[in-house]
Amino acid sequence: MSAEPDEIRWVPVGEVGEVRMGKQLSPASRDAAGQMPYLRVANVFEGRIDYGDVNSMGFTESERLVYALRPGDVLLNEGQESLTNVGRSALYEGAPGAYCFQNTLIRFRPGVEVMPEYAQAVFVNWRRTGRFARVAEKTSISHLGGNRFAKMLFPLVSLREQHRIVEVLNSIAESEWVERHESEKLRTVEGGVISALLGRRCTPHSGMVGEGYVTCGSVLKMTGGFPLGQAGVNPSGRYPIIGSSGRAGKGDRKITDGPTIVIGRVGEGGVGSVRFVSEPAWVTDNALWVREFAPGWLPEFLAIYLNWYDLRKLRSQTGQPLITQGAIKGVPIPRLDISEQQRIVRVRQAWSEELRVSRLRLDKLRALRSGIIDDLFQNKVRPEVTPVVAV
């Protein structure tokens, strides 16, 4: 089977490579002879495999021949609670035979006409555009299914064309990596600058109120938010809905005209988070918001300070992660005059703008990659390998 350099032939996946489900885990296999490490859904993320949490079970010699992995195999999530994650895939690049795989994964072993990197790019596109979700069996756990996957039509092009496509995508991925690295560096430097500004005056510890510090409770008055269902949820709504973990959509109702500070009250991902909100907004009941600030204090400075103080260390250590108003009210805040507060806010705003521009460049690169992938797999354009410059 072959394809002309400038055409795509749509061929069932099962005809361009081997499709195989992994071995089913059973109680007997946990203690059986021939223990081998195996990969499962928890190990396979999009574009990477986590080898840090690997389990073992027994494989016979004949099973090792069937289920052992080798470089170039593509592993896909067969089942997922989230339908959008079905088919999440990564290339295996470990040593030959070092790992086997469980039946929560599907292994695609490309044939001689398919580059592994090209196949994985196709599968990433299928997950992102919902093709895997459309063919998956939808139950409490959504399943892709080896047979359904094998029947999906694969865009087969010549190896020469696959090389060109992979090189284009790799060049964009490299630019994305550089931009992500720059963003991470900016965040690290920003944190250092803010710490340097605050650290000279703000080294909070217990019992220091009255030594140039006041309590948080004397500076701001907090109240709880209201249920999401009362926000008038509407994708075209006028007001952002803010919760413990950040924005939760838009709605037609507001409870604050802003500016305010929203503090995550409960939840593993958002407890102790601090967000400055400059506009009218709705705040959900898993968060607190500031309804009143004392004179002489800038809301944005207080948000910067509380972020730097890290309220997460005040959360309860038992049961559901929780932070109380009482704990927050006792936080010491340094007495800084308005001019010094303004200087810290200006510095933070400058770094925030740098980060915003960096994120914008990264978003454009991701959009460029998605557009190129869509065009390549629909045979709309023929890629040329040229350096990709961050936009």
Side-chain angles (χ1 to χ4, degrees):
M1 184 185 305
S2 62
E4 294 298 325
D6 294 323
E7 71 174 17
I8 291 179
R9 294 183 60 197
W10 297 92
V11 183
V13 169
E15 294 184 19
V16 296
E18 178 195 74
V19 175
R20 183 174 293 278
M21 299 285 293
K23 179 180 176 177
Q24 184 171 357
L25 177 65
S26 66
S29 66
R30 296 180 187 275
D31 301 315
Q35 291 287 306
M36 279 280 296
Y38 67 88
L39 301 180
R40 62 197 196 282
V41 162
N43 302 113
V44 178
F45 299 86
E46 189 123 298
R48 69 180 179 89
I49 295 176
D50 178 10
Y51 298 97
D53 179 23
V54 177
N55 296 335
S56 297
M57 64 172 157
F59 289 84
T60 65
E61 287 297 326
S62 60
E63 286 176 332
R64 293 187 188 196
L65 293 175
V66 173
Y67 298 114
L69 296 170
R70 66 189 190 200
D73 288 343
V74 184
L75 294 173
L76 302 95
N77 288 192
E78 192 281 327
Q80 273 280 1
E81 292 184 6
S82 170
L83 188 60
T84 58
N85 283 333
V86 170
R88 192 171 65 186
S89 62
L91 273 175
Y92 176 74
E93 297 175 322
Y99 295 89
C100 294
F101 67 108
Q102 189 190 1
N103 69 335
T104 56
L105 298 173
I106 298 173
R107 183 185 69 194
F108 175 73
R109 179 166 287 171
V112 295
E113 293 186 291
V114 179
M115 291 178 60
E117 297 84 358
Y118 173 74
Q120 209 258 325
V122 171
F123 302 151
V124 169
N125 176 261
W126 284 358
R127 190 203 61 78
R128 184 182 61 81
T129 56
R131 291 194 63 193
F132 282 141
R134 288 194 290 273
V135 303
E137 181 183 45
K138 302 161 185 69
T139 60
S140 57
I141 299 292
S142 299
H143 294 277
L144 177 57
N147 290 334
R148 287 188 294 272
F149 172 60
K151 293 176 182 177
M152 296 181 71
L153 296 181
F154 185 89
L156 182 62
V157 296
S158 68
L159 286 172
R160 174 176 174 272
E161 192 75 353
Q162 291 178 44
H163 276 286
R164 297 171 69 187
I165 290 172
V166 168
E167 288 181 17
V168 169
L169 298 180
N170 283 347
S171 66
I172 297 175
E174 183 176 351
S175 295
E176 286 186 48
W177 182 89
V178 170
E179 196 58 54
R180 280 196 303 271
H181 181 70
E182 287 300 313
S183 291
E184 290 167 4
K185 187 164 66 175
L186 279 171
R187 280 191 290 269
T188 300
V189 174
E190 178 200 23
V193 170
I194 296 299
S195 290
L197 287 171
L198 292 173
R200 287 197 298 268
R201 292 289 308 274
C202 315
T203 51
H205 55 82
S206 60
M208 63 191 307
V209 173
E211 302 175 5
Y213 286 77
V214 296
T215 62
C216 186
S218 68
V219 171
L220 48 84
K221 306 298 181 186
M222 296 169 285
T223 190
F226 290 89
L228 176 64
Q230 297 178 16
V233 178
N234 177 359
S236 302
R238 295 176 56 191
Y239 307 112
I241 301 171
I242 313 295
S244 178
S245 298
R247 290 208 173 206
K250 291 184 176 181
D252 294 324
R253 300 185 65 193
K254 62 177 179 175
I255 57 175
T256 172
D257 286 318
T260 188
I261 297 172
V262 176
I263 300 172
R265 185 177 63 84
V266 295
E268 185 65 43
V271 65
S273 62
V274 179
R275 292 175 176 84
F276 172 72
V277 179
S278 61
E279 58 191 325
W282 183 273
V283 180
T284 62
D285 54 1
N286 62 4
L288 303 167
W289 61 281
V290 180
R291 57 182 171 81
E292 183 181 341
F293 295 91
W297 294 94
L298 297 178
E300 193 166 357
F301 163 75
L302 292 171
I304 293 169
Y305 175 78
L306 292 175
N307 253 317
W308 176 78
Y309 184 89
D310 191 6
L311 297 179
R312 292 174 297 177
K313 62 191 176 187
L314 302 179
R315 71 180 192 173
S316 63
Q317 299 301 314
T318 59
Q320 183 183 32
L322 169 71
I323 188 169
T324 66
Q325 287 197 43
I328 299 170
K329 287 178 180 179
V331 170
I333 297 180
R335 299 176 185 271
L336 300 183
D337 61 37
I338 284 290
S339 63
E340 192 160 1
Q341 293 180 46
Q342 290 171 334
R343 186 167 75 92
I344 292 171
V345 168
R346 286 195 299 270
V347 171
R348 174 62 184 274
Q349 287 174 340
W351 281 101
S352 295
E353 177 61 17
E354 288 285 340
L355 281 167
R356 187 192 69 81
V357 172
S358 179
R359 284 194 295 266
L360 181 61
R361 288 196 296 263
L362 186 57
D363 288 343
K364 287 183 177 179
L365 282 169
R366 288 170 175 161
L368 174 64
R369 172 167 51 85
S370 297
I372 286 176
I373 290 175
D374 288 342
D375 287 346
L376 292 174
F377 294 154
Q378 293 178 40
N379 204 21
K380 290 181 179 178
V381 299
R382 304 265 53 87
E384 295 295 337
V385 181
T386 54
V388 176
V389 180
V391 289

